[in-house]
Amino acid sequence: MKRYLKQNKIKIINFEISNITINNFLKKVLYWAKKKKSHYICVSSVHGCIESFRSKKFKIAHNSADIAVADGRPIFWALKLLGSKDADHLPGYYITEEISNLANKTGLKIGFYGSTKKNLNGTQKYLKKKYKNINISYKYSPPFKRLNKKEDQEIINDINKSKVDILFICLGCPKQELWMYEHRKKLKCTMIGVGAVVDFLSGNKILPNKFFEYIGLAWLIRLISEPRRLFWRYFSIIFLFIILFILQITGLKRFK
């Protein structure tokens, strides 16, 4: 099983992504869960890549992850262009479903931290209906404020008391990556930052069609559904990502 512990990463700009298949990913998660030690996994998109370029603090948090998978199609394509032969495209919703299925079969306990109570309840209802034996031992929607040390310690204690094996972090980028990095030595579970996945699983938002995801336009469907909130974010990060990646693959700039 030791061969599953080491995982090489490929640098996209200054954003490190694991060269990993879904089978090896699930084997790692299962192995770590049985060991009851702290690990964390980033589910990485273009948004995170640009955050890594702009923020040293975020770059350290993201690149320190045990695994970082290609969530967005552009990140997956970038991996392929940089020589990856084995990496799978692993969107957050897909990983959540696969791990839920794994937990259903093996008895692993899963949990959710983040999002709203409505989304968490909707996701729990959806998963319990689909996976009859799934054990959701923890779910918590934190207040929309900065927690003090006492409040944070209470959350840490509650998570550890729940004996959760896999904890889905639903705070969105960049908060979830920073949160996992900060708590990596405090929790006895494997954390996975899945962002807005519970919005989709609960039915609060529509999951983009598989075809649009395959051709790299899942972001466009989300933009159409939330134009005011997402227009400038998507326009700025996608444009900047293309420019920076062209500089990388042409050798015109080296990123640290």
Side-chain angles (χ1 to χ4, degrees):
M1 192 62 75
K2 288 184 178 180
R3 65 182 181 277
Y4 297 130
L5 296 178
K6 294 184 179 180
Q7 184 59 49
N8 67 305
K9 294 181 178 179
I10 294 175
K11 185 180 287 188
I12 301 172
I13 306 175
N14 63 3
F15 196 56
E16 295 179 1
I17 304 296
S18 302
N19 185 33
I20 192 169
T21 64
I22 184 60
N23 288 335
N24 277 347
F25 176 84
L26 293 174
K27 287 174 182 176
K28 279 176 178 286
V29 170
L30 181 60
Y31 179 75
W32 289 339
K34 290 180 177 179
K35 289 293 183 180
K36 291 291 185 181
K37 292 183 179 180
S38 180
H39 296 276
Y40 74 98
I41 297 168
C42 293
V43 181
S44 309
S45 66
V46 169
H47 180 196
C49 185
I50 298 306
E51 285 288 339
S52 179
F53 174 73
R54 290 171 172 167
S55 167
K56 182 179 179 181
K57 183 178 180 181
F58 179 85
K59 182 183 75 170
I60 292 171
H62 179 273
N63 291 349
S64 297
D66 297 280
I67 299 175
V69 301
D71 175 40
R73 199 71 177 172
I75 295 295
F76 173 70
W77 287 334
L79 278 179
K80 294 300 183 182
L81 287 172
L82 292 172
S84 170
K85 295 180 180 179
D86 300 323
D88 285 334
H89 179 211
L90 301 175
Y93 75 87
Y94 175 62
I95 279 178
T96 306
E97 290 272 15
E98 288 293 311
I99 289 177
S100 296
N101 185 42
L102 179 68
N104 186 60
K105 292 178 178 178
T106 61
L108 294 178
K109 296 178 181 179
I110 69 169
F112 293 87
Y113 177 81
S115 192
T116 64
K117 289 182 179 179
K118 180 180 178 181
N119 283 340
L120 293 181
N121 289 336
T123 297
Q124 180 174 0
K125 183 178 179 181
Y126 166 81
L127 291 176
K128 283 186 172 292
K129 183 178 180 180
K130 187 171 183 179
Y131 306 104
K132 302 301 182 183
N133 298 317
I134 198 166
N135 186 345
I136 301 175
S137 64
Y138 180 85
K139 60 185 176 74
Y140 181 65
S141 174
F144 290 97
K145 67 168 187 174
R146 186 175 181 83
L147 301 178
N148 59 43
K149 290 185 178 180
K150 182 180 179 181
E151 291 170 324
D152 187 60
Q153 188 59 52
E154 287 176 354
I155 289 171
I156 292 169
N157 293 340
D158 287 344
I159 293 172
N160 286 331
K161 284 179 183 178
S162 75
K163 296 184 179 179
V164 65
D165 297 303
I166 301 164
L167 183 64
F168 294 103
I169 310 300
C170 315
L171 299 174
C173 177
K175 291 182 180 179
Q176 62 194 19
E177 289 80 6
L178 296 172
W179 193 91
M180 291 189 294
Y181 180 74
E182 180 183 345
H183 291 78
R184 69 195 186 281
K185 296 181 180 179
K186 302 174 184 178
L187 299 177
K188 299 174 182 179
C189 62
T190 296
M191 299 172 280
I192 307 177
V194 293
V197 163
V198 290
D199 288 295
F200 300 119
L201 296 185
S202 65
N204 187 42
K205 292 182 181 179
I206 299 173
L207 194 65
N209 182 276
K210 295 281 187 182
F211 172 74
F212 286 99
E213 178 182 273
Y214 182 77
I215 63 174
L217 292 178
W219 62 271
L220 181 59
I221 305 304
R222 291 192 65 187
L223 176 60
I224 292 171
S225 64
E226 299 180 82
R228 291 185 179 181
R229 186 175 76 87
L230 298 177
F231 175 78
W232 177 245
R233 181 207 290 183
Y234 281 175
F235 176 80
S236 60
I237 67 174
I238 290 173
F239 180 76
L240 182 56
F241 175 78
I242 292 171
I243 295 299
L244 294 174
F245 188 64
I246 288 173
L247 291 176
Q248 178 185 359
I249 62 176
T250 57
L252 294 174
K253 183 172 176 61
R254 297 185 67 182
F255 297 93
K256 296 182 179 179

